[in-house]
Amino acid sequence: MTTTEVYHAIDEYRSAARNAVRAGFDGIEIHAGIAYIHAADTNAWGGAPDMQRILAMLRPNFGGTIIANGGLDPASGETLLASGMADMVSFGRRFIANPDLVARIRRGGPYNEPNQHPFHGGGARGYLGYTALPQAQSPV
Ligand SMILES: Cc1cc2nc3c(=O)[nH]c(=O)nc-3n(C[C@H](O)[C@H](O)[C@H](O)COP(=O)(O)O)c2cc1C
Protein backbone atom coordinates (compact mmCIF):
# COMPACT_ATOMS: atom_id res chain seq x y z
CA MET A 1 0.00 0.00 0.00
CA THR A 2 1.08 3.55 -0.56
CA THR A 3 0.99 5.89 2.44
CA THR A 4 -2.13 7.52 0.95
CA GLU A 5 -3.81 4.12 0.69
CA VAL A 6 -2.93 3.36 4.33
CA TYR A 7 -4.68 6.57 5.45
CA HIS A 8 -7.64 5.64 3.26
CA ALA A 9 -7.85 2.20 4.93
CA ILE A 10 -7.69 3.82 8.38
CA ASP A 11 -10.60 6.07 7.38
CA GLU A 12 -12.56 3.01 6.28
CA TYR A 13 -12.04 1.37 9.68
CA ARG A 14 -13.05 4.64 11.37
CA SER A 15 -16.30 4.80 9.34
CA ALA A 16 -17.06 1.13 10.01
CA ALA A 17 -16.56 1.66 13.75
CA ARG A 18 -18.81 4.75 13.78
CA ASN A 19 -21.48 2.85 11.82
CA ALA A 20 -21.31 -0.06 14.25
CA VAL A 21 -21.76 2.21 17.26
CA ARG A 22 -24.54 4.07 15.46
CA ALA A 23 -26.23 0.72 14.84
CA GLY A 24 -26.27 -0.05 18.55
CA PHE A 25 -22.97 -1.80 19.26
CA ASP A 26 -21.36 -0.84 22.56
CA GLY A 27 -17.94 -0.69 20.99
CA ILE A 28 -15.66 -2.23 18.46
CA GLU A 29 -12.44 -4.16 18.77
CA ILE A 30 -9.90 -4.33 15.97
CA HIS A 31 -7.68 -7.39 15.97
CA ALA A 32 -4.53 -6.05 14.49
CA GLY A 33 -1.49 -4.67 16.04
CA ILE A 34 1.94 -5.56 14.52
CA ALA A 35 3.56 -8.78 15.85
CA TYR A 36 6.58 -8.60 13.54
CA ILE A 37 7.75 -7.05 10.31
CA HIS A 38 8.87 -9.36 7.52
CA ALA A 39 10.68 -7.03 5.13
CA ALA A 40 11.27 -8.26 1.59
CA ASP A 41 13.95 -6.41 -0.37
CA THR A 42 12.51 -6.73 -3.85
CA ASN A 43 15.47 -4.83 -5.32
CA ALA A 44 17.75 -7.71 -4.41
CA TRP A 45 16.45 -9.76 -7.32
CA GLY A 46 17.65 -7.53 -10.09
CA GLY A 47 18.74 -4.10 -9.04
CA ALA A 48 20.87 -2.85 -6.21
CA PRO A 49 20.15 -4.56 -2.88
CA ASP A 50 18.39 -2.20 -0.49
CA MET A 51 18.22 -4.22 2.73
CA GLN A 52 20.63 -2.04 4.69
CA ARG A 53 18.56 1.07 3.94
CA ILE A 54 15.31 -0.74 4.79
CA LEU A 55 16.64 -2.01 8.10
CA ALA A 56 18.15 1.36 8.98
CA MET A 57 14.64 2.81 8.69
CA LEU A 58 12.88 -0.03 10.52
CA ARG A 59 15.18 -0.80 13.46
CA PRO A 60 15.00 2.53 15.29
CA ASN A 61 11.25 2.83 14.71
CA PHE A 62 9.96 -0.64 15.53
CA GLY A 63 10.50 -2.49 18.80
CA GLY A 64 9.27 -5.90 17.63
CA THR A 65 10.83 -8.74 15.70
CA ILE A 66 12.23 -7.88 12.28
CA ILE A 67 12.69 -10.61 9.66
CA ALA A 68 14.90 -9.80 6.67
CA ASN A 69 14.12 -11.42 3.33
CA GLY A 70 15.46 -11.10 -0.20
CA GLY A 71 18.79 -11.83 -1.81
CA LEU A 72 20.23 -13.46 1.30
CA ASP A 73 22.23 -16.64 1.60
CA PRO A 74 23.19 -18.38 4.85
CA ALA A 75 26.49 -16.47 5.12
CA SER A 76 25.04 -13.00 4.48
CA GLY A 77 22.11 -13.92 6.73
CA GLU A 78 24.49 -14.74 9.57
CA THR A 79 26.30 -11.44 9.04
CA LEU A 80 23.01 -9.57 9.16
CA LEU A 81 21.96 -11.30 12.37
CA ALA A 82 25.32 -10.59 13.95
CA SER A 83 24.95 -6.91 13.08
CA GLY A 84 21.79 -6.78 15.18
CA MET A 85 19.81 -5.08 12.41
CA ALA A 86 17.47 -8.08 12.01
CA ASP A 87 16.25 -10.74 14.42
CA MET A 88 15.57 -13.44 11.84
CA VAL A 89 16.28 -14.03 8.17
CA SER A 90 14.32 -16.03 5.62
CA PHE A 91 15.12 -17.56 2.26
CA GLY A 92 13.09 -18.08 -0.90
CA ARG A 93 15.12 -19.30 -3.86
CA ARG A 94 17.65 -21.02 -1.59
CA PHE A 95 14.85 -23.23 -0.28
CA ILE A 96 13.67 -24.09 -3.77
CA ALA A 97 17.18 -25.12 -4.80
CA ASN A 98 17.95 -26.93 -1.55
CA PRO A 99 15.07 -29.11 -0.31
CA ASP A 100 17.18 -29.90 2.77
CA LEU A 101 18.33 -26.31 3.32
CA VAL A 102 18.16 -26.47 7.11
CA ALA A 103 20.38 -29.57 7.23
CA ARG A 104 22.79 -27.94 4.80
CA ILE A 105 22.98 -24.77 6.89
CA ARG A 106 23.70 -26.87 10.00
CA ARG A 107 26.62 -28.56 8.29
CA GLY A 108 27.87 -25.44 6.53
CA GLY A 109 26.86 -26.39 2.97
CA PRO A 110 27.39 -27.19 0.19
CA TYR A 111 24.44 -25.50 -1.52
CA ASN A 112 22.78 -26.02 -4.89
CA GLU A 113 22.53 -22.76 -6.82
CA PRO A 114 18.98 -21.82 -7.86
CA ASN A 115 18.25 -21.63 -11.56
CA GLN A 116 15.51 -19.07 -11.74
CA HIS A 117 14.82 -19.18 -15.47
CA PRO A 118 12.06 -21.82 -15.16
CA PHE A 119 10.61 -20.48 -11.87
CA HIS A 120 7.66 -18.78 -13.49
CA GLY A 121 7.07 -21.27 -16.26
CA GLY A 122 3.75 -22.47 -14.93
CA GLY A 123 4.79 -26.10 -14.42
CA ALA A 124 6.85 -28.31 -12.17
CA ARG A 125 10.05 -27.68 -14.13
CA GLY A 126 12.46 -25.67 -12.04
CA TYR A 127 11.11 -26.89 -8.73
CA LEU A 128 11.63 -30.65 -8.64
CA GLY A 129 15.10 -31.24 -10.02
CA TYR A 130 17.14 -30.31 -6.98
CA THR A 131 18.69 -33.09 -4.95
CA ALA A 132 19.04 -33.38 -1.20
CA LEU A 133 22.29 -34.45 0.40
CA PRO A 134 22.52 -38.14 1.26
CA GLN A 135 20.93 -38.67 4.69
CA ALA A 136 24.16 -40.03 6.11
CA GLN A 137 25.89 -36.70 5.51
CA SER A 138 23.19 -34.64 7.22
CA PRO A 139 23.57 -34.15 10.97
CA VAL A 140 20.42 -34.67 13.04
C1 LIG B 1 9.05 -18.52 -7.88
C2 LIG B 1 8.84 -17.38 -6.93
C3 LIG B 1 7.65 -16.70 -6.94
C4 LIG B 1 7.43 -15.62 -6.08
N1 LIG B 1 6.24 -14.97 -6.11
C5 LIG B 1 6.01 -13.96 -5.26
C6 LIG B 1 4.76 -13.28 -5.25
O1 LIG B 1 3.85 -13.61 -6.01
N2 LIG B 1 4.59 -12.25 -4.39
C7 LIG B 1 5.58 -11.87 -3.53
O2 LIG B 1 5.37 -10.94 -2.75
N3 LIG B 1 6.78 -12.48 -3.52
C8 LIG B 1 7.01 -13.51 -4.35
N4 LIG B 1 8.23 -14.13 -4.34
C9 LIG B 1 9.28 -13.61 -3.48
C10 LIG B 1 9.40 -14.44 -2.21
O3 LIG B 1 8.22 -14.36 -1.44
C11 LIG B 1 10.56 -13.94 -1.35
O4 LIG B 1 10.33 -12.60 -0.94
C12 LIG B 1 11.87 -13.98 -2.10
O5 LIG B 1 11.98 -15.22 -2.79
C13 LIG B 1 13.02 -13.84 -1.12
O6 LIG B 1 14.21 -13.61 -1.81
P1 LIG B 1 15.27 -14.78 -2.07
O7 LIG B 1 14.61 -15.73 -3.05
O8 LIG B 1 16.44 -14.07 -2.64
O9 LIG B 1 15.55 -15.46 -0.76
C14 LIG B 1 8.45 -15.22 -5.19
C15 LIG B 1 9.64 -15.93 -5.17
C16 LIG B 1 9.85 -16.99 -6.04
C17 LIG B 1 11.17 -17.72 -6.00
Side-chain angles (χ1 to χ4, degrees), residues 92-114:
R93 291 167 295 177
R94 296 272 153 197
F95 251 115
I96 293 173
N98 298 274
D100 53 349
L101 183 64
V102 173
R104 287 174 186 258
I105 291 173
R106 284 194 178 125
R107 55 166 288 172
Y111 303 103
N112 298 323
E113 285 302 314

Side-chain angles (χ1 to χ4, degrees), residues 40 44-45 69-72 90-94 96 119-120 127:
W45 273 48
N69 170 269
L72 297 169
S90 63
F91 307 105
R93 291 167 295 177
R94 296 272 153 197
I96 293 173
F119 275 175
H120 301 282
Y127 292 98

